[in-house]
Amino acid sequence: MAAMDALALLASAAARRPRGAAVRCGRRDLSYAELADLARRIGEALERAGARAGDRVAALLPNCHLYLACYFGALQA
């Protein structure tokens, strides 16, 4: 249930404050709407690649905005 809670929190934040700053990585800022959109696209790409509920997904990334987007994308997929 925690996965759905995290997705619901992101969706709620994106709906309430779409232009609000969600994450800053170096010089790169993502709004809640941008983070939600990037996560959605990653989730869809994982599904096209064959990921299904219950699968394990790994991402080797530095601590950056892409890691966060992949986390939410994997939860979505």
Side-chain angles (χ1 to χ4, degrees):
M1 194 58 137
M4 291 305 293
D5 291 346
L7 288 174
L9 287 173
L10 178 59
S12 174
R16 283 191 331 252
R17 298 186 58 220
R19 293 187 179 132
V23 64
R24 173 174 283 165
C25 183
R27 296 180 187 188
R28 173 83 170 148
D29 291 340
L30 283 182
S31 69
Y32 285 107
E34 290 170 325
L35 178 59
D37 181 60
L38 182 56
R40 177 190 55 77
R41 290 185 286 136
I42 290 169
E44 289 172 354
L46 287 170
E47 289 172 352
R48 283 192 305 274
R52 298 291 175 257
D55 286 353
R56 291 177 174 88
V57 176
L60 183 58
L61 297 164
N63 188 11
C64 70
H65 66 290
L66 293 176
Y67 181 85
L68 187 59
C70 285
Y71 171 77
F72 283 112
L75 291 178
Q76 176 186 310

